[in-house]
Amino acid sequence: MRITRAVVPSLFTVLNLVCGFYAVVRASTDTPAGLRAASWLIIFGGIFDALDGLAARLTHSSSEFGVELDSLADVVTFGAAPAYLVYVYGLRASLGSWGLLLSSLVLVCGALRLARFNVQLVGFDKDVFVGLPIPSAAIALATFILGSLAEPRFGPTFTFAGARPLLPLLVLVVSLLMVSTVKYDTLPKPSRRNVRKHPVKTAMFVAALAVAIYLGPRGMFLVMIGFIGFGLLRAGFALANRSAAEADDDDLDAQEALDA
């Protein structure tokens, strides 16, 4: 059996998958410690997911096999695991059977998002995602739970435990955004050429990383909310500009009709 360079990114993908499985196991304990561990495992899964893409680019080993394996891992770590986590953490007690249905949206919409991405994939390098990336949705939910549980291990201590009733709304929003057509930027590639090409995007990523490191999981949640909100704001401006352009075209057509 010959070992190729493709093993390197696949190893990170498998670690991502293991994090997802273990997150489900820890969430099933339904204890604060277990829920915190499950949330961190989803975050670590996101790190491994980013590293497998980086490793694939560095080793020039991107492949259709890697894309499919990555999607299978993502539907576990960022679909099934956060869906079960939010159900156990808050939706089961507050909404009962409706909570089960709502939490399943994370898994269902995530799977649809991944399937759409795979069939629309042209090449392996991309500048934007259509729809909220499933790791971003999962990490937003995981960091919200960590902040609500007042996990004090990293960064200054501040919480948003009082925001716990907002969990159903957050679940609904991130689920729908995954299957939307709202565009979101990819992570900047670590190269001097890319930094020169996208200086603002790179600077924003560095600033977001600093906030996440300094404030811990609560900072990560704020970064994810900023990321989600920026995509929505940009989509709103694009829609407004398109509507204004269409209105101008209609006025021009009307004026030409009168002149004729």
Side-chain angles (χ1 to χ4, degrees), residues 43-107:
I43 293 171
F44 284 125
I47 295 173
F48 289 131
D49 184 59
L51 289 175
D52 71 7
L54 177 62
R57 285 191 293 271
L58 291 177
T59 59
H60 304 287
S61 57
S62 299
S63 65
E64 292 184 7
F65 171 82
V67 171
E68 296 300 329
L69 179 61
D70 184 70
S71 293
L72 291 172
D74 286 355
V75 81
V76 174
T77 305
F78 309 126
Y84 185 63
L85 176 63
V86 296
Y87 175 68
V88 172
Y89 171 69
L91 300 186
R92 177 171 59 185
S94 63
L95 299 177
S97 298
W98 288 106
L100 179 63
L101 180 62
L102 181 59
S103 60
S104 69
L105 281 181
V106 179
L107 174 59

Side-chain angles (χ1 to χ4, degrees), residues 129 131-133 135-137 177 182-187 201 204 208 220-234:
F129 293 112
L132 181 67
S136 301
L177 281 176
V182 177
K183 293 183 179 179
Y184 287 94
D185 292 325
T186 61
L187 291 176
K201 179 179 176 180
M204 291 178 64
M220 292 184 221
F221 176 73
L222 296 177
V223 167
M224 296 313 304
I225 291 300
F227 177 69
I228 292 170
F230 180 74
L232 286 171
L233 188 63
R234 184 171 56 185

